[in-house]
Amino acid sequence: MKLSVQKVGLLAAALLMAGCASETKKQSLYSWNSYEPTLYQYYKSDKTGPEQQIAELQKNIEQAKSTGKSVPPGLHAQMGLLYADTGHTDLAFQEFKTEKTLFPESAAYMDFLLKNKKGSMK
């Protein structure tokens, strides 16, 4: 009886450790790629221009599609801001609407940006 209790204890410990090990190997739901560094460049206002940042974000979208992952929240909104900065408001609106569709929780902010950018066009 004592031997079986020890075996059960060892088995429980092994299962617990296996559960912890699998916890560290979780995959992200999103394909982040270079989104975060590109966002940092935007706010840092470094020498990377908006066109280069747009190209980098478009590359992120293609990489996400190729891996079957979703783009992270905010990527399309960021592209919209970049398009607005370069005078491509039609593309900016399209990106804001895409963000709103993919992430409904962003609707209030996307509506604000759509309204704000439309107002700046007048």
Side-chain angles (χ1 to χ4, degrees), residues 26-120:
K26 280 190 174 180
Q27 296 287 326
S28 175
L29 294 174
Y30 305 109
S31 177
W32 292 90
N33 295 316
S34 63
Y35 171 55
E36 291 172 306
T38 303
L39 188 64
Y40 178 72
Q41 290 169 348
Y42 176 79
Y43 286 108
K44 185 179 169 192
S45 299
D46 68 359
K47 297 176 184 176
T48 306
E51 292 86 5
Q52 291 172 297
Q53 293 175 24
I54 289 169
E56 198 62 38
L57 293 176
Q58 287 172 334
K59 190 166 71 171
N60 280 1
I61 292 170
E62 292 304 317
Q63 289 173 338
K65 286 179 184 176
S66 71
T67 60
K69 290 188 175 185
S70 300
V71 296
L75 188 138
H76 287 285
Q78 182 63 26
M79 279 187 66
L81 291 171
L82 290 166
Y83 279 132
D85 288 348
T86 60
H88 296 97
T89 53
D90 55 332
L91 294 172
F93 294 158
Q94 180 182 344
E95 293 298 329
F96 295 151
K97 289 175 184 175
T98 301
E99 181 75 21
K100 187 176 168 178
T101 301
L102 292 174
F103 303 100
E105 63 274 15
S106 71
Y109 183 55
M110 293 302 102
D111 289 341
F112 167 77
L113 290 176
L114 286 163
K115 182 180 175 184
N116 187 20
K117 296 300 175 184
K118 282 181 186 175
S120 67

